[in-house]
Amino acid sequence: MVFRQLFDPQSSTYTYLLADPASRAAVLIDPVFEQVRRDAALVEELGLKLAWTLETHVHADHVTGAWLLREKLGSRIALSKASGAEGADIFLTPHQKIPFGKRHLEALATPGHTNGCMTYVLDDKSMAFTGDALLIRGCGRTDFQQGDARTLFRSVRSRIFSLPDDCLVCPGHDYRGLTQTSVGEEKRFNPRLAESIGEGDFLGYMQHLGLAHPKQMAIAVPANLKCGRPEKTTSLDPDWAALTYTFAGIWEVQPHWLEENLRTVQIVDVREPGEFNGPLGHVAGAKLMPLGSLTDRIGELEKATPIVTVCRSGARSAQATLMLGKAGFEKVANLSGGMLRWRAQRFPVDGGVD
Ligand code: FE
């Protein structure tokens, strides 16, 4: 099984990537709109085909990336019928199975935080994705949307706590940086929902949380009821070149694109002079600005003209794109694979030896 736990620092949301290694079919649980580029890059770098995005519920603290991922990768959107959302490909009912390759998740209805909350349980019951129904030593709040503490108590105790004790619990959020827990652990140590705690105690606890509403709520809930479809569908990605975005957070262009667009960009070669004039040669028109001098010499570059950074392998020049981005340059990309790939694909150079 391919398994990754991804984090959105803005909303403290966990997104989970699961994939069947044989067929490469993948599922993303609770993707975040602002992280779609990152998540799509990871799916592509791992050679996966995103079959589904699943929502554990209609979130109040972030907008889902489901709609945008469907646009980008052709994934299908699934969430519970009881969520009241529109625009999904499938509206799940309790115990429905969501297949990906040879594996599947089963949707359990675990309402209480909202009406439409679902917990997704892996086929072998080794993992459960509980959304905000059960958090690590906590649980989701029950004081807005269709929250109901009594319902949440019964969902957790009857549906989640009936899973095997060693079933890993992967929550929708954590605000302290904790990552996973297990059913057995929460049965013993959850301060609100442990088996030793009665329903009345839980109701009292939940009535007195005294939390402010999430800042994003007025935007997030209506957007999530449409599966994250934005009001205006403007392109969010820069389009000055045939850009790809890496999971490492770098915009890149391929050698063939640079070759066709040599005259429209500033080429910044961040290697040392000995390399620039060495056997690999350099791209015609490239400006030599070794990485160590880039910050001091940044004034030599024009802001309006796009920049492509180059080095031997594409590592130092990736760092250069980040430095230029911080300095306010908006159109910056790394030459993927650097001079090594440029030469391997037989593009022309100034200087150098064959
Ligand atoms: Fe929530």
Side-chain angles (χ1 to χ4, degrees), residues 14 28 38 72 136 148 157 171 194 206 263 274 289-290 296 318 330:
Y14 287 125
L28 269 174
R38 174 198 69 182
K72 266 180 179 276
I136 301 169
D148 183 77
R157 295 290 279 267
M206 295 306 285
R263 298 219 174 80
M289 297 176 80
D296 290 340
E330 284 171 4

Side-chain angles (χ1 to χ4, degrees), residues 232-304:
K232 279 179 278 173
T233 54
T234 47
S235 174
L236 296 158
D237 288 347
D239 56 1
W240 58 269
L243 295 160
T244 48
Y245 186 75
T246 70
F247 188 55
I250 310 291
W251 287 104
E252 293 194 332
V253 290
Q254 297 301 317
H256 67 86
W257 185 90
L258 181 58
E259 214 270 329
E260 286 163 13
N261 294 277
L262 283 177
R263 298 219 174 80
T264 63
V265 298
Q266 306 174 81
I267 302 167
V268 177
D269 193 316
V270 299
R271 291 175 297 166
E272 298 302 314
E275 300 176 86
F276 187 80
N277 298 310
L280 281 176
H282 54 264
V283 180
K287 192 177 176 74
L288 174 62
M289 297 176 80
L291 191 62
S293 68
L294 187 61
T295 307
D296 290 340
R297 293 177 56 192
I298 221 148
E300 295 173 32
L301 297 168
E302 285 173 53
K303 284 221 159 134

Side-chain angles (χ1 to χ4, degrees), residues 57-61 113 132 173:
H57 62 294
V58 170
H59 308 279
D61 54 2
H113 171 61
D132 295 357
H173 298 283

Side-chain angles (χ1 to χ4, degrees), residues 25 32 46 50 80 91 143 148 150 164 177 228 275 286 291 331 334 338:
V32 173
L46 297 181
L50 189 63
S80 77
F91 293 97
D143 58 336
D148 183 77
R150 194 181 305 270
E275 300 176 86
L291 191 62
K331 297 177 182 175
N334 185 32

